[in-house]
Amino acid sequence: MRVATFGYQTWGHKTLEALIESDHEVVLAVTHPPSEHSYESIWSDSVEELARANNIPVHLAQRPDSELIEQVKHAEPDIIVANNWRTWLPRELFDLPPHGTLNLHDSLLPKFTGFSPVIWALISGEKEVGLTAHRMDDDLDTGDVVVQRAVPIGPRDTATDLVRATIDIIPEVLIEALDLIESGEAVWKQQNLADRTFFHKRADIDSQINWNWPAEDIDRLVRAQSDPYPNAFTHFRGERIRITKASVSAGIYGGTPGRVFIHEGDGMVIVAGADAYRGKNHGLVVERLRTEDGVEHAGKDFFPRGGGYLT
């Protein structure tokens, strides 16, 4: 089939790469200009560079406009494939090709519609993440599904591990979906939107640790904000510190949330949980942290003894 791609960053790059290596013909690559936003500068493989290296026409746009629509009309695609296109597409555009638009979204829709789905899934305690190929419609990530693949979340997986895993399955999900559509064998499954969960874009404040959370939840937040993402952070004696490695304590520790308490294993236990005063909670063991000067510290070295609070 003749395919026009809409994509950005590594997700769009992997999608375009899979199409170049397939039997399908890429007739246009639409992508966003480079961005300095903290989340958009991560996983920043260039769709534009890959397209130009393969003599594929490129159109740069922040959002759809009349020029973009004319470019797509001129390319005459059989289908549009979108992955990590950052702005809404109007029906005039997504319904333009005979087969409409196939969108790839890195969650198991209808769960984790919206932004940063892998990070939110890990934070919220899900057992798996995944990738969904679905037909684009008027709302965000709500169209009928043709192919889904799940990726289990391991007990110590980080967001980086899981993002890599979902990116790795883009080619198989995409090509299977296109082959089913081209052959007329695609079975489209309507999403149960009563089960839909919709998450917003992440900002700096979303990475701040709340010591009223249970230690298990804070541990997942730390793993969800693994390098190269902006790390989970807290403050100690007025200084911002980033927690880069942590775990749930073996022991039970009571007191006030955020208290720097006692060494356990390779780190310092921080009391956690709004009801920590009941003496039934595990703490968070801070094993590695990074100060604002970029220096990495072992938890035991940065906290040679208990005392004080993280806020």
Side-chain angles (χ1 to χ4, degrees):
M1 287 193 292
R2 290 170 60 84
V3 181
T5 66
F6 281 59
Y8 188 49
Q9 297 176 282
T10 302
W11 295 268
H13 185 280
K14 189 73 169 182
T15 301
L16 179 57
E17 185 179 63
L19 287 166
I20 290 169
E21 294 174 359
S22 76
D23 294 330
H24 302 285
E25 179 187 2
V26 184
V27 295
L28 177 66
V30 181
T31 189
H32 298 298
S35 169
E36 296 302 319
H37 185 281
S38 59
Y39 276 87
E40 294 186 356
S41 60
I42 303 169
W43 310 103
S44 56
D45 293 296
S46 172
V47 172
E48 179 185 5
E49 290 177 8
L50 178 62
R52 295 196 189 283
N54 286 273
N55 299 312
I56 295 168
V58 176
H59 183 81
L60 298 179
Q62 287 289 11
R63 53 188 53 83
D65 55 22
S66 58
E67 182 184 0
L68 172 54
I69 293 171
E70 287 304 313
Q71 287 277 345
V72 175
K73 285 179 179 179
H74 179 74
E76 297 183 331
D78 297 311
I79 193 169
I80 292 171
V81 171
N83 193 355
N84 200 36
W85 176 256
R86 310 294 282 178
T87 55
W88 174 79
L89 293 181
R91 179 170 289 274
E92 179 184 9
L93 191 51
F94 70 70
D95 252 2
L96 194 158
H99 292 290
T101 296
L102 182 74
N103 187 56
L104 298 180
H105 181 74
D106 46 346
S107 82
L108 297 173
L109 294 175
K111 296 291 184 69
F112 299 98
T113 301
F115 303 90
S116 302
V118 171
I119 291 176
W120 284 118
L122 180 52
I123 290 171
S124 65
E126 288 291 302
K127 301 298 183 186
E128 57 188 8
V129 292
L131 184 64
T132 299
H134 69 98
R135 179 183 281 138
M136 188 175 286
D137 63 10
D138 291 304
D139 210 340
L140 185 64
D141 303 328
T142 57
D144 295 348
V145 172
V146 62
V147 177
Q148 277 189 326
R149 290 285 185 280
V151 174
I153 298 177
R156 300 309 302 161
D157 276 343
T158 66
T160 309
D161 298 327
L162 296 170
V163 167
R164 286 188 179 125
T166 55
I167 288 171
D168 285 345
I169 61 174
I170 286 172
E172 66 180 81
V173 169
L174 172 61
I175 301 307
E176 179 181 345
L178 290 179
D179 289 349
L180 288 169
I181 293 167
E182 185 176 30
S183 67
E185 298 176 358
V187 177
W188 298 93
K189 181 180 178 182
Q190 188 174 9
Q191 294 186 49
N192 180 3
L193 298 183
D195 294 333
R196 185 186 190 210
T197 58
F198 194 170
F199 285 79
H200 61 75
K201 289 183 179 180
R202 292 188 64 77
D204 184 63
I205 195 170
D206 299 314
S207 301
Q208 184 166 358
I209 295 171
N210 182 343
W211 294 102
N212 287 312
W213 285 15
E216 294 82 359
D217 291 358
I218 301 172
D219 170 55
R220 288 196 302 271
L221 175 64
V222 170
R223 288 187 284 121
Q225 295 298 144
S226 57
D227 290 339
Y229 291 104
N231 306 119
F233 70 91
T234 186
H235 294 87
F236 182 61
R237 295 174 179 166
E239 179 182 9
R240 176 162 158 157
I241 59 174
R242 305 175 186 218
I243 309 301
T244 58
K245 185 179 180 184
S247 58
V248 177
S249 69
I252 302 296
Y253 299 96
T256 301
R259 175 72 177 189
V260 180
F261 192 7
I262 193 169
H263 290 148
E264 181 183 292
D266 293 328
M268 173 61 77
V269 173
I270 313 300
V271 177
D275 60 347
Y277 65 92
R278 296 182 182 275
K280 297 181 180 180
N281 293 359
H282 293 277
L284 187 82
V285 182
V286 175
E287 298 170 12
R288 303 287 301 177
L289 62 92
R290 187 177 297 136
T291 46
E292 283 295 89
D293 58 6
V295 176
E296 191 92 8
H297 302 265
K300 274 188 172 180
D301 295 338
F302 190 82
F303 300 110
R305 65 190 65 82
Y309 292 84
L310 299 184
T311 59

